[in-house]
Amino acid sequence: MPLPRSIVVLTGAGISAESGLGTFRDEDGIWTKYPLEALATPEGFARDPDFVQGFYNDRRRQLKTARHNRAHEALARLESACRAEGADFLLVTQNVDNLHEQAGSRNVVHMHGELTRVRCMNCFTVTVCQEDIGTSTQCTACRTVGHVRPHIVWFGEMPLEMNRIGDALSQCRMFVSIGTSGAVYPAAGFVQEAMYAGARTVELNLEPSENARVFDETRYGPASEIVPAWVDRLLDA
Ligand code: BV8
């Protein structure tokens, strides 16, 4: 059977959990250890930039050893199968890690930003950065010092590429949500948008998310097991 002519996949921290990167709202999640308001808001950054820069420097350093897992690989396989059949495929991730790219995914939208990029608050240039940054970091574009921040979307800030995401959701025939609690908007509202567009909706997660009852199809278990199995079934159908 041919693949759906347009697939949108949304991933969250759960798809990277088995690669050793923390989730946010699980028992030992990041927001249970660190105060969200102090670390993931512009106000928190303004109050204590060193504390916030240190938090993101630690997470950027983790990327030097983190490796993608079989769930990331399965999505890269699905993307290439869609490309081979001329079907549209868009991978929207809430994650700020680079494991989808490491696994070979090409059409990736990081709606909450990326740990491997930094943004200058003076000239707004976004540049790739694998190293620690701080209040003495110089912008490589405008050469000013002390204006470089993580290229991360904090609470109260507008997620990235929302028009592109909205267009894809309005035309998709299948929407797959993987490894996300459905706690953060606007990402948590994407399943409704896809449903209104007439898409078939699928949730693949460790446990039912806050939106579980909305999905047409749900499968629960570790992403590295259920995502490859689900993709294999879709490709062999
Ligand atoms: C905005 C920064 C508007 C990067 C993050 C409507 C209603 C209510 C509230 C709002 C609303 N609209 C806006 C809001 C406010 C707010 C919000 O949603 N608040 C929530 C808490 C109620 N939203 C915003 O502020 C957003 N901005 O809407 O702007 C605007 C309009 C005009 C002009 C300006 C602005 C911005 C949201 C982005 C915030 N940044 N992070 C970082 O530090 O990483 S959000 C944070 O949560 C993370 O980035 C993460 O991406 C995101 C979602 O979390 P999940 O990925 O789902 O992770 P979580 O731990 O929650 O869940 C993990 C799941 O995986 C679990 O279900 C678990 O069971 C599962 N799992 C675990 N292990 C496995 C697994 N699954 C499979 N296998 C496993 N092994």
Side-chain angles (χ1 to χ4, degrees), residues 11-19 22-26 29-31 36 39-41 55-56 59 69 71 93-97 111-115 151-159 178-188 203-210 220-227:
T11 61
I15 198 169
S16 297
E18 291 161 90
S19 296
T23 61
F24 292 88
R25 294 169 187 84
D26 288 330
I30 294 175
W31 297 148
L36 177 156
L39 284 167
T41 62
F55 172 66
Y56 285 98
R59 291 174 64 196
N69 62 57
T93 186
Q94 299 173 90
N95 300 340
V96 293
D97 63 53
M111 66 179 290
H112 290 167
E114 297 174 74
L115 281 171
H151 183 52
I152 295 289
V153 176
W154 288 323
F155 287 96
E157 295 184 324
M158 178 60 93
I178 302 173
T180 181
S181 61
V184 174
Y185 288 82
E203 173 169 85
L204 307 176
N205 207 48
L206 189 62
E207 58 199 11
S209 73
E210 296 189 19
Y220 298 114
S224 65
E225 291 171 21
I226 63 172
V227 177

Side-chain angles (χ1 to χ4, degrees), residues 192 203 208-216 218 220:
Q192 271 92 356
E203 173 169 85
S209 73
E210 296 189 19
N211 297 323
R213 70 196 178 293
V214 172
F215 288 89
D216 296 314
T218 57
Y220 298 114

Side-chain angles (χ1 to χ4, degrees), residues 3-11 15 71-93 100-101 103-109 161 164-165 167-169 171-178 202 204 227 230-232 234-235:
L3 288 169
R5 62 179 164 76
S6 174
I7 299 178
V8 173
V9 175
L10 171 70
T11 61
I15 198 169
H72 297 102
E73 287 162 7
L75 292 183
R77 273 190 298 118
L78 177 57
E79 179 180 7
S80 34
C82 286
R83 196 176 307 115
E85 282 194 22
D88 292 330
F89 179 91
L90 183 65
L91 173 52
V92 181
T93 186
H100 283 304
E101 291 84 353
S105 288
R106 288 159 51 177
N107 212 6
V108 185
V109 171
E161 302 205 54
R164 182 178 173 197
I165 296 168
D167 289 347
L169 290 170
Q171 296 157 42
C172 75
R173 306 314 309 141
M174 179 175 274
F175 174 78
V176 194
S177 178
I178 302 173
V202 181
L204 307 176
V227 177
W230 185 83
V231 167
D232 289 345
L234 184 68
L235 297 183

